[in-house]
Every structure is written in C-alpha cells, then in structure tokens.
Amino acid sequence: MRKILLLAGLAMGVFTANAQDVYKPVKGDVTTEFGLSGGVLNSDFRLNENGNLLRFRYFTQDKMALRVGFGLSSNNETANAYGANANETGEVVRKNTDLLINLGLEKHFTGTERLSPYVGADVLVGFGSRKRSYENSNNNFGNPSYVANVSGSTTGPGSVSFGLRGVVGADYYFAKRLFLGVEGGLGLLYAKEGKTKTSSTVAGNTTTTEFKSAGNSFEINPSVITGVRIGFVF
C-alpha cells in the first residue's frame, strides 16, 4: 500500500511539473524573429520582409499581441574617375535610402500546448529617397571617366507608400521560449513617386530642370511574408 501511494505521489509530482511548463508566450512577453532561408544543412538567417524589417510582438493579453516592425536600408556608393595627370580626379556618387514601418495586431487561438495559430492585420508606411551626383566626371557610374569643370546632381524620385495587409500564421514552440513559424498574407499597397530635380554645371554655368511625378501604383498582392521564421520570447 505504501509503495502504491509513493508511486501515485511521484506520478502526481511529474504531472504537476509538466503542467507548469508553459511554452507559448503570455501577457507581458515580447517576441522577436528572423527569417530562415536555405536547406537544412545550408541555412541562413535574415530579417523579415526580404531582410529589411526587424519585427517585435508585445503580448497585451495571453492571446493578443501588438506587432511592431521597422526597417532602414541605406547605401552610399562612389565610383572614382581619373585623368591623365595624378591630380585629375573625379567621382560619381549614388545614395539610396528606404524606410519601412509596420504596425499591427494579432489574435491567437487555443491551438495545442505548443502550437499557436493566429490571424492579424498590419498597416504599412514606407518612404524612399534617391540621389545621384557627379563632379569632374561624365556621370556614368558603371564606366566613369574624368571630365574637367563638370558637375551635377539628380535628386529623386523619392517615394511614399501606404498599405494594409491581413495575415494568417502559426508558431510552433519546439522548446520553451523558442519557436518556428510561418506566415502568409494578402496586402493592398498604394505607392506614389515624387518629383525629380536635375542640376548640371559646365564651366561655371548651372542649369536646373524639374520633372513632375511619374505617377502612382496600386496593387493587391498575396504572398508568403517571411517563409519559415525562427524566434524567441524574452
């Protein structure tokens, strides 16, 4: 009888310990994640939205989360041009900057002990800027050559975009506070290009020209947003 009671007590203790293991996030938790690309033996980590968006989720309730993401990509490239003499130098410069902000909400469902399916919605806002400039060159970035007393720049076209997106996805917690997930969505995106301004200076004489916006675009785009994601809770 004592052995039976002892075994029952041990079983109850194990059951209680297992019941206390909570895999999925609860109110107050924050998650972040990375996209996972490549094969099993050749995987690579990248940020969401094609590598440009760092995203977090804050659980205001056990089954409700705020989605916050932001991304900034910027590059500055310079191609040098050289003349016949050592002091004859010029350059062509290209600068691009893109900013993306993502705000949204997720509703999670019961699922299982480790599986957390959800639906959600996002608001997307994006900005982009472009600038090209050259000095003492022929304004050919791919094949620059030295041209004395010539300079200029092209600013634009910049861009502004707004979007709405519905998403559906699921996270599987393969360990405590670690998960793999997939997500897809259907989005509506409106984008508009800004004006373009060019300026050129030859032998001290400057000419400036301004071009109107090339137009705008509107699209509805279904997509797998991040492929397979790996994330953690903190």
Side-chain angles (χ1 to χ4, degrees):
M1 190 63 169
R2 290 179 180 176
K3 291 181 179 180
I4 293 174
L5 292 174
L6 179 61
L7 290 173
L10 289 173
M12 183 63 69
V14 171
F15 176 79
T16 302
N18 289 335
Q20 292 175 348
D21 287 338
V22 178
Y23 290 92
K24 295 189 286 188
V26 296
K27 179 180 179 181
D29 282 342
V30 177
T31 72
T32 190
E33 61 202 39
F34 303 90
L36 181 63
S37 61
V40 176
L41 300 180
N42 187 30
S43 60
D44 186 26
F45 293 96
R46 55 182 172 76
L47 297 180
N48 295 290
E49 307 286 356
N50 297 319
N52 294 326
L53 187 72
L54 181 62
R55 192 171 72 185
F56 298 90
R57 295 183 293 184
Y58 172 70
F59 281 78
T60 58
Q61 301 293 331
D62 290 354
K63 295 182 180 180
M64 189 71 68
L66 297 175
R67 295 157 59 94
V68 179
F70 57 91
L72 177 65
S73 63
S74 179
N75 62 65
N76 188 336
E77 302 174 289
T78 300
N80 295 319
Y82 300 99
N85 299 322
N87 63 340
E88 294 179 338
T89 61
E91 65 178 17
V92 184
V93 179
R94 301 192 302 194
K95 297 180 181 181
N96 299 325
T97 301
D98 292 285
L99 174 66
L100 176 65
I101 301 172
N102 167 197
L103 300 174
L105 187 67
E106 279 182 10
K107 168 62 177 176
H108 287 249
F109 301 99
T110 301
T112 66
E113 181 185 20
R114 295 175 182 250
L115 182 66
S116 183
Y118 62 86
V119 296
D122 286 329
V123 175
L124 303 170
V125 182
F127 304 92
S129 66
R130 306 286 182 268
K131 185 174 182 180
R132 310 287 185 271
S133 63
Y134 59 96
E135 185 173 0
N136 293 330
S137 78
N138 62 344
N139 193 24
N140 187 333
F141 189 89
N143 186 26
S145 60
Y146 177 79
V147 181
N149 301 318
V150 172
S151 63
S153 65
T154 300
T155 303
S159 63
V160 178
S161 59
F162 301 94
L164 296 174
R165 178 172 62 192
V167 300
V168 58
D171 300 326
Y172 181 79
Y173 289 81
F174 61 90
K176 293 181 69 173
R177 311 189 82 76
L178 292 173
F179 67 88
L180 289 173
V182 292
E183 183 177 293
L186 179 65
L188 293 82
L189 181 66
Y190 171 82
K192 182 176 181 179
E193 285 192 352
K195 297 179 180 179
T196 301
K197 183 178 181 180
T198 64
S199 175
S200 61
T201 302
V202 179
N205 297 316
T206 301
T207 303
T208 300
T209 306
E210 187 172 277
F211 300 90
K212 295 182 179 181
S213 169
N216 54 66
S217 64
F218 178 79
E219 64 180 40
I220 300 176
N221 184 27
S223 62
V224 176
I225 296 171
T226 57
V228 178
R229 302 171 290 116
I230 184 167
F232 59 92
V233 183
F234 60 94

